Amino acid sequence: MRAVDIIIKKREKGELTQEEINFFVQGFVKGDIPDYQVSAWAMAVLLNGMTPQETTDLTLAMVLSGRILDLTGVVDIAVDKHSSGGVGDKTTLVVLPIVAACGLPVGKMSGRGLGFSGGTLDKMESIPGYRVDLNTDEFKRQLKEKGIVLTGQSLDLAPADGKLYSLRDVTGTVPSIPLIASSIMSKKIAAGAQAIVLDVKVGNGAFMETLDMARELSALMVQIGDLAGRKTICLLSDMNQPLGHAVGNALEVKEAIDTLKGDGPADFREHCLHVSAYMLVVGKRAKDLNEGRGMAEKAIANGSAFEKFRVLVAAQGGDVSYVDDSDRMARAKFVEVVKAPCSGFLSRVDARGVGEASVALGAGRAKKSDAVDHAVGFIIHHKVGERVEQGEPLFTIHANDERKLAEARASVLSAHIIGNAIVPPLPLFYE
Ligand code: URA
């Protein structure tokens, strides 16, 4: 078998066999198939798609490219969550401590930024010393002792996804339903999850721009979950505007900390409570969503969720003084408040535009080897549907470079559309 023939077959819209997919994935992981061939193949998949069977085969090939974590004896039920990626999505930073504080131990392996969407690991690394490279023994020990883990994908779990994920980020091959489904599900299955809550983002700041695409991705992931014997639930949530106010690594961590302390933007808090409630139900800590939500609210109100976040940061070597005083986190050289150019109702805050502007400021990567700048990003002050008055703060830019600041000002200003007509707020969840 030759890699080039598999690429050509996919280019010609053929259906790959399980044998071909296994050959390709194994060859990539072993280093026999180079990045450029895998990139060409990923582009062929993006353009021509995959059948559900091919996607399932790809998922399982990626799971089998490494070890499968066995959490028996560590937790009584292994529950995991995953977001399909968005702008300002710092949900994990709040949901994990909430559910752990409610007595549901949760260990999660997260990823880095992907295209215009931010990555949990990049965010957590805004806290000096925080380690995202726990090995599986450390992962298990911390999960058992502290009930909370948030780390990077261990190199021995679904390594094929780890390699493919970073290639896709820089080759324009992220927004493919089969590639996203197999990427997410391979990680979750390899990480030992028995029940999985997936937050599938819908909108122009998500990889799934329409509800139909999000439904297709969700159905595929539920199907793969079923085949692998994992209970999988998908929530379809809005990503037409950034979630919360903060976009950018350290800024998002600060917003997550505020939310854990009982403040934070209303939409973001509500989103986190909803996802937490589902996790508590699938994790059998709450009998229904109402009870789960009540537990989650209480964990914020009594400080136990914030305390869990401190425990998490300390356990992974992070400097907890940055959590206690989040103003210590990296600050950008230039902080500029941009004012509303006119009065009216906000009809659009283009999430993708904001996400791309944040990557351009340095919060994300343009190529695999780029380092991220933790300090830069935006505070978006208003939500779609809100009335704004001319001259009031519309957004704040945190930048470390004057030229990039000017570019960000223009692009984020044009991401905001203010009109005379009353506009309803966007929903948080669709389904
Ligand atoms: N999140 C993932 O883990 N993988 C993708 O491909 C997209 C979002």
Side-chain angles (χ1 to χ4, degrees), residues 308-375:
K308 263 293 173 197
F309 189 72
R310 295 183 80 250
V311 167
L312 167 73
V313 170
Q316 290 184 214
D319 185 339
V320 183
S321 68
Y322 285 73
V323 177
D324 292 335
D325 177 8
S326 58
D327 285 337
R328 294 193 65 198
M329 234 146 353
R331 271 170 183 272
K333 230 180 329 173
F334 307 102
V335 177
E336 180 183 300
V337 178
V338 178
K339 300 193 171 138
C342 57
S343 300
F345 295 94
L346 205 48
S347 64
R348 189 167 166 82
V349 186
D350 177 343
R352 175 150 329 187
V354 175
E356 282 170 352
S358 137
V359 173
L361 274 182
R365 296 176 183 78
K367 54 185 190 319
K368 236 164 96 169
S369 52
D370 284 350
V372 301
D373 183 342
H374 290 106

Short mmCIF file of all heavy atoms in Angstrom, two decimals, residues 308-375:
data_model
loop_
_atom_site.label_atom_id
_atom_site.label_comp_id
_atom_site.label_asym_id
_atom_site.label_seq_id
_atom_site.Cartn_x
_atom_site.Cartn_y
_atom_site.Cartn_z
N LYS A 308 -11.75 24.65 44.33
CA LYS A 308 -11.30 23.52 43.49
C LYS A 308 -10.35 23.99 42.40
O LYS A 308 -9.41 23.29 42.02
CB LYS A 308 -12.51 22.83 42.82
CG LYS A 308 -13.00 21.62 43.55
CD LYS A 308 -12.01 20.45 43.53
CE LYS A 308 -12.51 19.34 44.42
NZ LYS A 308 -11.52 18.36 44.80
N PHE A 309 -10.63 25.17 41.86
CA PHE A 309 -9.75 25.71 40.83
C PHE A 309 -8.36 25.95 41.42
O PHE A 309 -7.34 25.65 40.81
CB PHE A 309 -10.34 27.00 40.25
CG PHE A 309 -9.60 27.52 39.04
CD1 PHE A 309 -9.68 26.86 37.82
CD2 PHE A 309 -8.81 28.66 39.11
CE1 PHE A 309 -9.00 27.32 36.69
CE2 PHE A 309 -8.12 29.14 37.99
CZ PHE A 309 -8.21 28.47 36.79
N ARG A 310 -8.30 26.46 42.63
CA ARG A 310 -7.02 26.70 43.31
C ARG A 310 -6.29 25.36 43.51
O ARG A 310 -5.08 25.25 43.29
CB ARG A 310 -7.24 27.36 44.68
CG ARG A 310 -7.84 28.74 44.62
CD ARG A 310 -7.97 29.36 46.01
NE ARG A 310 -6.72 29.91 46.48
CZ ARG A 310 -5.97 29.42 47.46
NH1 ARG A 310 -6.38 28.35 48.11
NH2 ARG A 310 -4.84 29.96 47.81
N VAL A 311 -7.06 24.35 43.91
CA VAL A 311 -6.48 23.01 44.13
C VAL A 311 -5.88 22.49 42.82
O VAL A 311 -4.76 21.97 42.78
CB VAL A 311 -7.57 22.05 44.66
CG1 VAL A 311 -7.12 20.59 44.59
CG2 VAL A 311 -7.98 22.43 46.08
N LEU A 312 -6.63 22.70 41.74
CA LEU A 312 -6.17 22.24 40.42
C LEU A 312 -4.86 22.93 40.04
O LEU A 312 -3.88 22.28 39.64
CB LEU A 312 -7.25 22.57 39.37
CG LEU A 312 -6.83 22.46 37.91
CD1 LEU A 312 -6.68 21.00 37.50
CD2 LEU A 312 -7.84 23.14 36.98
N VAL A 313 -4.84 24.24 40.18
CA VAL A 313 -3.66 25.00 39.78
C VAL A 313 -2.45 24.58 40.63
O VAL A 313 -1.36 24.33 40.11
CB VAL A 313 -3.94 26.52 39.88
CG1 VAL A 313 -2.66 27.34 39.72
CG2 VAL A 313 -4.97 26.93 38.82
N ALA A 314 -2.67 24.46 41.94
CA ALA A 314 -1.56 24.08 42.83
C ALA A 314 -1.07 22.68 42.47
O ALA A 314 0.15 22.43 42.39
CB ALA A 314 -2.02 24.14 44.28
N ALA A 315 -2.00 21.75 42.23
CA ALA A 315 -1.61 20.37 41.96
C ALA A 315 -0.76 20.28 40.70
O ALA A 315 0.08 19.40 40.57
CB ALA A 315 -2.85 19.49 41.83
N GLN A 316 -0.99 21.19 39.76
CA GLN A 316 -0.24 21.11 38.49
C GLN A 316 0.91 22.14 38.44
O GLN A 316 1.35 22.51 37.35
CB GLN A 316 -1.20 21.21 37.31
CG GLN A 316 -2.03 19.92 37.25
CD GLN A 316 -2.97 19.79 36.08
OE1 GLN A 316 -4.03 19.22 36.24
NE2 GLN A 316 -2.60 20.28 34.91
N GLY A 317 1.33 22.55 39.61
CA GLY A 317 2.55 23.37 39.68
C GLY A 317 2.35 24.85 39.39
O GLY A 317 3.31 25.61 39.29
N GLY A 318 1.09 25.28 39.24
CA GLY A 318 0.84 26.70 38.93
C GLY A 318 0.98 27.56 40.18
O GLY A 318 0.81 27.08 41.31
N ASP A 319 1.26 28.83 39.97
CA ASP A 319 1.41 29.78 41.07
C ASP A 319 0.02 30.29 41.48
O ASP A 319 -0.60 31.09 40.76
CB ASP A 319 2.31 30.93 40.61
CG ASP A 319 2.62 31.89 41.74
OD1 ASP A 319 1.86 31.91 42.73
OD2 ASP A 319 3.62 32.63 41.63
N VAL A 320 -0.45 29.79 42.62
CA VAL A 320 -1.84 30.09 43.04
C VAL A 320 -2.03 31.58 43.36
O VAL A 320 -3.15 32.08 43.31
CB VAL A 320 -2.23 29.21 44.25
CG1 VAL A 320 -3.67 29.45 44.67
CG2 VAL A 320 -2.05 27.74 43.91
N SER A 321 -0.92 32.28 43.61
CA SER A 321 -1.09 33.71 43.91
C SER A 321 -1.68 34.44 42.69
O SER A 321 -2.31 35.48 42.83
CB SER A 321 0.24 34.33 44.35
OG SER A 321 1.12 34.38 43.26
N TYR A 322 -1.49 33.88 41.49
CA TYR A 322 -2.08 34.50 40.29
C TYR A 322 -3.58 34.24 40.23
O TYR A 322 -4.31 34.96 39.57
CB TYR A 322 -1.42 33.96 39.02
CG TYR A 322 -0.04 34.54 38.78
CD1 TYR A 322 1.04 34.14 39.56
CD2 TYR A 322 0.17 35.49 37.79
CE1 TYR A 322 2.29 34.68 39.36
CE2 TYR A 322 1.43 36.04 37.58
CZ TYR A 322 2.48 35.63 38.37
OH TYR A 322 3.73 36.17 38.17
N VAL A 323 -4.01 33.20 40.88
CA VAL A 323 -5.45 32.90 40.92
C VAL A 323 -6.10 33.80 41.98
O VAL A 323 -7.17 34.37 41.77
CB VAL A 323 -5.68 31.41 41.26
CG1 VAL A 323 -7.16 31.10 41.39
CG2 VAL A 323 -5.03 30.52 40.22
N ASP A 324 -5.39 33.95 43.09
CA ASP A 324 -5.93 34.79 44.17
C ASP A 324 -5.96 36.26 43.77
O ASP A 324 -6.84 37.00 44.19
CB ASP A 324 -5.11 34.58 45.45
CG ASP A 324 -5.30 33.17 46.00
OD1 ASP A 324 -6.37 32.57 45.71
OD2 ASP A 324 -4.40 32.64 46.68
N ASP A 325 -4.98 36.64 42.96
CA ASP A 325 -4.96 38.03 42.50
C ASP A 325 -4.71 38.00 41.01
O ASP A 325 -3.57 38.08 40.54
CB ASP A 325 -3.83 38.78 43.24
CG ASP A 325 -3.72 40.22 42.75
OD1 ASP A 325 -4.59 40.64 41.96
OD2 ASP A 325 -2.75 40.89 43.13
N SER A 326 -5.79 37.87 40.25
CA SER A 326 -5.63 37.63 38.80
C SER A 326 -5.09 38.87 38.08
O SER A 326 -4.69 38.78 36.92
CB SER A 326 -6.94 37.14 38.18
OG SER A 326 -7.95 38.07 38.41
N ASP A 327 -5.03 40.01 38.77
CA ASP A 327 -4.43 41.20 38.14
C ASP A 327 -2.92 41.01 37.95
O ASP A 327 -2.28 41.77 37.23
CB ASP A 327 -4.66 42.45 39.01
CG ASP A 327 -6.10 42.91 38.89
OD1 ASP A 327 -6.74 42.58 37.86
OD2 ASP A 327 -6.59 43.57 39.82
N ARG A 328 -2.36 39.98 38.60
CA ARG A 328 -0.93 39.71 38.44
C ARG A 328 -0.61 39.08 37.08
O ARG A 328 0.54 39.02 36.68
CB ARG A 328 -0.45 38.74 39.53
CG ARG A 328 -0.52 39.31 40.92
CD ARG A 328 0.27 38.44 41.87
NE ARG A 328 1.69 38.43 41.55
CZ ARG A 328 2.55 37.52 41.97
NH1 ARG A 328 2.16 36.53 42.73
NH2 ARG A 328 3.82 37.57 41.63
N MET A 329 -1.64 38.59 36.41
CA MET A 329 -1.39 37.87 35.17
C MET A 329 -0.81 38.81 34.08
O MET A 329 -1.00 40.03 34.17
CB MET A 329 -2.68 37.22 34.69
CG MET A 329 -2.43 35.77 34.47
SD MET A 329 -3.69 34.59 34.80
CE MET A 329 -4.99 35.28 35.51
N ALA A 330 -0.16 38.21 33.08
CA ALA A 330 0.52 39.01 32.04
C ALA A 330 -0.37 40.15 31.54
O ALA A 330 -1.55 39.94 31.24
CB ALA A 330 0.88 38.09 30.89
N ARG A 331 0.22 41.32 31.46
CA ARG A 331 -0.51 42.49 30.97
C ARG A 331 0.12 42.95 29.66
O ARG A 331 1.35 42.99 29.54
CB ARG A 331 -0.35 43.64 31.95
CG ARG A 331 -1.39 43.66 33.04
CD ARG A 331 -0.99 44.70 34.07
NE ARG A 331 -1.92 44.69 35.16
CZ ARG A 331 -3.03 45.41 35.19
NH1 ARG A 331 -3.34 46.20 34.18
NH2 ARG A 331 -3.84 45.35 36.21
N ALA A 332 -0.71 43.38 28.75
CA ALA A 332 -0.17 43.87 27.48
C ALA A 332 0.35 45.30 27.66
O ALA A 332 -0.09 46.01 28.56
CB ALA A 332 -1.25 43.82 26.42
N LYS A 333 1.26 45.69 26.75
CA LYS A 333 1.85 47.03 26.83
C LYS A 333 0.81 48.12 26.54
O LYS A 333 0.78 49.16 27.15
CB LYS A 333 2.97 47.11 25.79
CG LYS A 333 4.23 47.63 26.38
CD LYS A 333 5.45 47.77 25.46
CE LYS A 333 5.62 46.83 24.32
NZ LYS A 333 6.68 47.09 23.41
N PHE A 334 -0.05 47.83 25.56
CA PHE A 334 -1.04 48.84 25.16
C PHE A 334 -2.45 48.36 25.49
O PHE A 334 -2.83 47.25 25.11
CB PHE A 334 -0.97 49.10 23.65
CG PHE A 334 0.41 49.44 23.18
CD1 PHE A 334 1.19 48.49 22.54
CD2 PHE A 334 0.95 50.71 23.39
CE1 PHE A 334 2.48 48.79 22.11
CE2 PHE A 334 2.23 51.02 22.97
CZ PHE A 334 3.00 50.06 22.33
N VAL A 335 -3.19 49.19 26.20
CA VAL A 335 -4.59 48.86 26.49
C VAL A 335 -5.42 50.04 25.99
O VAL A 335 -5.24 51.17 26.46
CB VAL A 335 -4.81 48.63 28.00
CG1 VAL A 335 -6.29 48.35 28.28
CG2 VAL A 335 -3.96 47.46 28.49
N GLU A 336 -6.24 49.79 24.98
CA GLU A 336 -6.99 50.91 24.39
C GLU A 336 -8.48 50.61 24.39
O GLU A 336 -8.91 49.55 23.95
CB GLU A 336 -6.52 51.12 22.94
CG GLU A 336 -7.24 52.27 22.27
CD GLU A 336 -6.84 52.45 20.82
OE1 GLU A 336 -5.64 52.70 20.55
OE2 GLU A 336 -7.73 52.34 19.94
N VAL A 337 -9.24 51.57 24.90
CA VAL A 337 -10.70 51.42 24.88
C VAL A 337 -11.21 52.04 23.59
O VAL A 337 -10.90 53.20 23.29
CB VAL A 337 -11.34 52.13 26.10
CG1 VAL A 337 -12.86 52.02 26.04
CG2 VAL A 337 -10.81 51.53 27.40
N VAL A 338 -11.97 51.28 22.83
CA VAL A 338 -12.53 51.81 21.58
C VAL A 338 -14.00 52.12 21.83
O VAL A 338 -14.75 51.28 22.35
CB VAL A 338 -12.36 50.79 20.42
CG1 VAL A 338 -12.98 51.32 19.14
CG2 VAL A 338 -10.88 50.48 20.23
N LYS A 339 -14.40 53.33 21.46
CA LYS A 339 -15.77 53.78 21.79
C LYS A 339 -16.73 53.54 20.65
O LYS A 339 -16.34 53.49 19.47
CB LYS A 339 -15.71 55.26 22.13
CG LYS A 339 -14.78 55.49 23.32
CD LYS A 339 -14.94 56.86 23.90
CE LYS A 339 -14.14 56.90 25.20
NZ LYS A 339 -13.42 58.13 25.35
N ALA A 340 -18.01 53.42 20.99
CA ALA A 340 -19.04 53.19 19.97
C ALA A 340 -19.12 54.42 19.06
O ALA A 340 -19.24 55.53 19.55
CB ALA A 340 -20.38 52.93 20.64
N PRO A 341 -19.04 54.21 17.74
CA PRO A 341 -19.06 55.35 16.82
C PRO A 341 -20.45 55.98 16.69
O PRO A 341 -20.58 57.10 16.21
CB PRO A 341 -18.63 54.73 15.49
CG PRO A 341 -18.92 53.27 15.62
CD PRO A 341 -18.86 52.92 17.06
N CYS A 342 -21.51 55.27 17.09
CA CYS A 342 -22.86 55.82 16.99
C CYS A 342 -23.74 55.11 18.01
O CYS A 342 -23.32 54.12 18.62
CB CYS A 342 -23.42 55.61 15.59
SG CYS A 342 -23.44 53.89 15.11
N SER A 343 -24.95 55.62 18.18
CA SER A 343 -25.89 54.97 19.12
C SER A 343 -26.80 54.02 18.35
O SER A 343 -27.03 54.20 17.15
CB SER A 343 -26.76 56.02 19.80
OG SER A 343 -25.95 56.92 20.50
N GLY A 344 -27.31 53.03 19.04
CA GLY A 344 -28.26 52.11 18.39
C GLY A 344 -28.24 50.75 19.06
O GLY A 344 -27.75 50.61 20.19
N PHE A 345 -28.78 49.78 18.35
CA PHE A 345 -28.84 48.42 18.88
C PHE A 345 -27.78 47.57 18.17
O PHE A 345 -27.63 47.67 16.95
CB PHE A 345 -30.23 47.82 18.66
CG PHE A 345 -31.29 48.55 19.43
CD1 PHE A 345 -32.01 49.58 18.82
CD2 PHE A 345 -31.53 48.26 20.77
CE1 PHE A 345 -32.97 50.28 19.54
CE2 PHE A 345 -32.48 48.96 21.49
CZ PHE A 345 -33.20 49.99 20.88
N LEU A 346 -27.13 46.77 18.97
CA LEU A 346 -26.06 45.94 18.41
C LEU A 346 -26.70 44.75 17.70
O LEU A 346 -27.38 43.94 18.34
CB LEU A 346 -25.18 45.50 19.58
CG LEU A 346 -23.73 45.14 19.31
CD1 LEU A 346 -23.02 46.19 18.47
CD2 LEU A 346 -23.02 44.95 20.65
N SER A 347 -26.51 44.67 16.38
CA SER A 347 -27.14 43.55 15.68
C SER A 347 -26.13 42.44 15.40
O SER A 347 -26.50 41.33 15.03
CB SER A 347 -27.77 44.02 14.38
OG SER A 347 -26.77 44.49 13.52
N ARG A 348 -24.86 42.72 15.55
CA ARG A 348 -23.86 41.69 15.26
C ARG A 348 -22.55 41.97 15.99
O ARG A 348 -22.09 43.12 16.02
CB ARG A 348 -23.61 41.70 13.74
CG ARG A 348 -22.78 40.56 13.22
CD ARG A 348 -22.91 40.54 11.68
NE ARG A 348 -21.91 39.71 11.06
CZ ARG A 348 -22.01 38.39 10.95
NH1 ARG A 348 -23.07 37.77 11.40
NH2 ARG A 348 -21.07 37.69 10.36
N VAL A 349 -22.00 40.92 16.58
CA VAL A 349 -20.60 40.98 17.05
C VAL A 349 -19.96 39.73 16.46
O VAL A 349 -20.07 38.64 17.01
CB VAL A 349 -20.48 40.95 18.60
CG1 VAL A 349 -19.02 41.16 19.01
CG2 VAL A 349 -21.37 41.98 19.25
N ASP A 350 -19.38 39.89 15.31
CA ASP A 350 -18.91 38.79 14.49
C ASP A 350 -17.81 37.99 15.22
O ASP A 350 -16.66 38.42 15.33
CB ASP A 350 -18.36 39.42 13.20
CG ASP A 350 -17.76 38.43 12.25
OD1 ASP A 350 -17.44 37.30 12.68
OD2 ASP A 350 -17.58 38.79 11.09
N ALA A 351 -18.22 36.82 15.72
CA ALA A 351 -17.30 36.03 16.55
C ALA A 351 -16.04 35.64 15.77
O ALA A 351 -14.93 35.69 16.29
CB ALA A 351 -17.99 34.78 17.07
N ARG A 352 -16.23 35.26 14.51
CA ARG A 352 -15.04 34.84 13.75
C ARG A 352 -14.09 36.02 13.56
O ARG A 352 -12.87 35.87 13.70
CB ARG A 352 -15.43 34.27 12.39
CG ARG A 352 -14.20 33.97 11.59
CD ARG A 352 -14.27 32.86 10.64
NE ARG A 352 -15.14 31.78 11.00
CZ ARG A 352 -15.20 30.66 10.30
NH1 ARG A 352 -14.43 30.49 9.27
NH2 ARG A 352 -16.03 29.71 10.64
N GLY A 353 -14.66 37.18 13.26
CA GLY A 353 -13.83 38.37 13.07
C GLY A 353 -13.02 38.66 14.32
O GLY A 353 -11.82 38.95 14.26
N VAL A 354 -13.67 38.53 15.48
CA VAL A 354 -12.98 38.80 16.74
C VAL A 354 -11.91 37.72 16.98
O VAL A 354 -10.78 38.02 17.37
CB VAL A 354 -13.98 38.85 17.93
CG1 VAL A 354 -13.25 39.00 19.25
CG2 VAL A 354 -14.98 39.98 17.73
N GLY A 355 -12.26 36.46 16.69
CA GLY A 355 -11.31 35.36 16.89
C GLY A 355 -10.08 35.53 16.00
O GLY A 355 -8.94 35.36 16.44
N GLU A 356 -10.33 35.90 14.74
CA GLU A 356 -9.19 36.07 13.82
C GLU A 356 -8.33 37.26 14.23
O GLU A 356 -7.10 37.22 14.16
CB GLU A 356 -9.69 36.23 12.38
CG GLU A 356 -10.07 34.86 11.81
CD GLU A 356 -10.81 34.92 10.48
OE1 GLU A 356 -11.17 36.04 10.05
OE2 GLU A 356 -11.03 33.84 9.91
N ALA A 357 -9.00 38.31 14.71
CA ALA A 357 -8.24 39.50 15.15
C ALA A 357 -7.39 39.14 16.37
O ALA A 357 -6.28 39.64 16.54
CB ALA A 357 -9.20 40.63 15.47
N SER A 358 -7.92 38.26 17.20
CA SER A 358 -7.17 37.89 18.40
C SER A 358 -5.95 37.02 18.03
O SER A 358 -4.86 37.19 18.59
CB SER A 358 -8.16 37.23 19.38
OG SER A 358 -7.63 36.13 19.97
N VAL A 359 -6.12 36.15 17.05
CA VAL A 359 -4.97 35.38 16.56
C VAL A 359 -3.93 36.34 15.97
O VAL A 359 -2.73 36.23 16.23
CB VAL A 359 -5.40 34.33 15.50
CG1 VAL A 359 -4.19 33.65 14.87
CG2 VAL A 359 -6.31 33.27 16.13
N ALA A 360 -4.40 37.34 15.20
CA ALA A 360 -3.48 38.30 14.58
C ALA A 360 -2.72 39.11 15.63
O ALA A 360 -1.56 39.48 15.44
CB ALA A 360 -4.25 39.24 13.65
N LEU A 361 -3.35 39.34 16.79
CA LEU A 361 -2.66 40.05 17.88
C LEU A 361 -1.58 39.18 18.50
O LEU A 361 -0.71 39.67 19.21
CB LEU A 361 -3.66 40.42 18.98
CG LEU A 361 -4.46 41.71 18.88
CD1 LEU A 361 -5.33 41.86 20.12
CD2 LEU A 361 -3.55 42.92 18.73
N GLY A 362 -1.68 37.86 18.29
CA GLY A 362 -0.67 36.95 18.85
C GLY A 362 -1.24 35.95 19.84
O GLY A 362 -0.51 35.14 20.42
N ALA A 363 -2.57 35.99 20.06
CA ALA A 363 -3.17 35.07 21.04
C ALA A 363 -3.26 33.64 20.50
O ALA A 363 -3.47 32.70 21.27
CB ALA A 363 -4.55 35.56 21.45
N GLY A 364 -3.15 33.48 19.17
CA GLY A 364 -3.17 32.14 18.56
C GLY A 364 -1.96 31.98 17.65
O GLY A 364 -1.06 32.82 17.66
N ARG A 365 -1.96 30.91 16.88
CA ARG A 365 -0.78 30.61 16.06
C ARG A 365 -1.10 30.70 14.57
O ARG A 365 -2.18 30.30 14.15
CB ARG A 365 -0.33 29.16 16.30
CG ARG A 365 0.13 28.90 17.69
CD ARG A 365 0.47 27.43 17.90
NE ARG A 365 0.83 27.26 19.28
CZ ARG A 365 -0.06 27.19 20.26
NH1 ARG A 365 -1.35 27.23 20.01
NH2 ARG A 365 0.33 27.08 21.51
N ALA A 366 -0.09 31.17 13.80
CA ALA A 366 -0.24 31.15 12.35
C ALA A 366 0.46 29.91 11.80
O ALA A 366 0.14 29.41 10.75
CB ALA A 366 0.36 32.40 11.74
N LYS A 367 1.49 29.45 12.50
CA LYS A 367 2.12 28.18 12.11
C LYS A 367 2.47 27.38 13.37
O LYS A 367 2.53 27.94 14.48
CB LYS A 367 3.33 28.38 11.20
CG LYS A 367 4.39 29.31 11.72
CD LYS A 367 5.45 29.48 10.64
CE LYS A 367 6.68 30.21 11.12
NZ LYS A 367 6.47 31.35 12.01
N LYS A 368 2.66 26.07 13.15
CA LYS A 368 2.78 25.12 14.26
C LYS A 368 3.74 25.55 15.36
O LYS A 368 3.48 25.36 16.55
CB LYS A 368 3.28 23.79 13.66
CG LYS A 368 2.41 22.61 13.94
CD LYS A 368 2.76 21.47 13.01
CE LYS A 368 3.72 20.47 13.61
NZ LYS A 368 3.87 19.25 12.82
N SER A 369 4.88 26.13 14.95
CA SER A 369 5.93 26.41 15.93
C SER A 369 5.74 27.75 16.65
O SER A 369 6.51 28.10 17.54
CB SER A 369 7.28 26.40 15.22
OG SER A 369 7.19 27.27 14.10
N ASP A 370 4.72 28.54 16.28
CA ASP A 370 4.55 29.87 16.90
C ASP A 370 4.25 29.75 18.39
O ASP A 370 3.55 28.84 18.83
CB ASP A 370 3.36 30.60 16.25
CG ASP A 370 3.70 31.15 14.87
OD1 ASP A 370 4.89 31.13 14.51
OD2 ASP A 370 2.77 31.59 14.17
N ALA A 371 4.81 30.73 19.15
CA ALA A 371 4.45 30.82 20.58
C ALA A 371 3.25 31.76 20.68
O ALA A 371 3.09 32.65 19.84
CB ALA A 371 5.62 31.40 21.35
N VAL A 372 2.40 31.55 21.68
CA VAL A 372 1.27 32.48 21.83
C VAL A 372 1.65 33.57 22.83
O VAL A 372 2.47 33.36 23.72
CB VAL A 372 -0.05 31.79 22.26
CG1 VAL A 372 -0.48 30.74 21.28
CG2 VAL A 372 0.06 31.22 23.66
N ASP A 373 1.03 34.71 22.66
CA ASP A 373 1.21 35.82 23.58
C ASP A 373 0.01 35.78 24.53
O ASP A 373 -1.13 36.01 24.11
CB ASP A 373 1.25 37.13 22.77
CG ASP A 373 1.52 38.34 23.65
OD1 ASP A 373 1.33 38.23 24.88
OD2 ASP A 373 1.91 39.39 23.10
N HIS A 374 0.29 35.47 25.80
CA HIS A 374 -0.82 35.27 26.73
C HIS A 374 -1.56 36.55 27.08
O HIS A 374 -2.71 36.52 27.49
CB HIS A 374 -0.31 34.59 28.01
CG HIS A 374 0.08 33.17 27.76
ND1 HIS A 374 1.39 32.76 27.71
CD2 HIS A 374 -0.66 32.09 27.50
CE1 HIS A 374 1.43 31.48 27.43
NE2 HIS A 374 0.20 31.04 27.29
N ALA A 375 -0.86 37.68 26.94
CA ALA A 375 -1.43 38.93 27.46
C ALA A 375 -2.45 39.57 26.53
O ALA A 375 -3.28 40.36 26.97
CB ALA A 375 -0.30 39.91 27.74
#
